[in-house]
Amino acid sequence: MELSGINGESEADVYTVHVVLPSGDAVINVEALGSDYSDYDVIIGMDIIMLGEFHFDKVDDHNVFSFNIQLQ
């Protein structure tokens, strides 16, 4: 797939994956792009975030987030 971003244009491999979150929620058959970014294992996009409730807080100088999906 051709990508265009702040660093210019590049190509990325496309994979179909199942995303299982620490809560046990799963999103099946998600298109994922391979990347050379070594700072991140996974970046969750809005296609998954919009499926649930995402909460981000700062507690005792630490960043804390939770994410829940209400599966039917």
Side-chain angles (χ1 to χ4, degrees):
M1 173 180 273
E2 287 285 327
L3 299 176
S4 180
I6 61 172
N7 293 323
E9 294 185 6
S10 63
E11 288 190 12
D13 294 326
V14 179
Y15 303 92
T16 300
V17 300
H18 304 318
V19 178
V20 180
L21 302 168
S23 63
D25 295 319
V27 182
I28 307 300
N29 295 331
V30 175
E31 276 195 354
L33 302 178
S35 171
D36 291 334
Y37 294 120
S38 60
D39 293 342
Y40 305 100
D41 293 329
V42 174
I43 298 174
I44 302 294
M46 289 304 297
D47 57 335
I48 293 177
I49 292 172
M50 72 180 196
L51 296 174
E53 296 177 354
F54 181 83
H55 298 276
F56 184 86
D57 294 305
K58 191 161 194 105
V59 178
D60 296 329
D61 232 10
H62 292 90
N63 296 323
V64 178
F65 79 92
S66 65
F67 180 73
N68 295 303
I69 297 176
Q70 298 297 322
L71 299 177
Q72 298 177 3

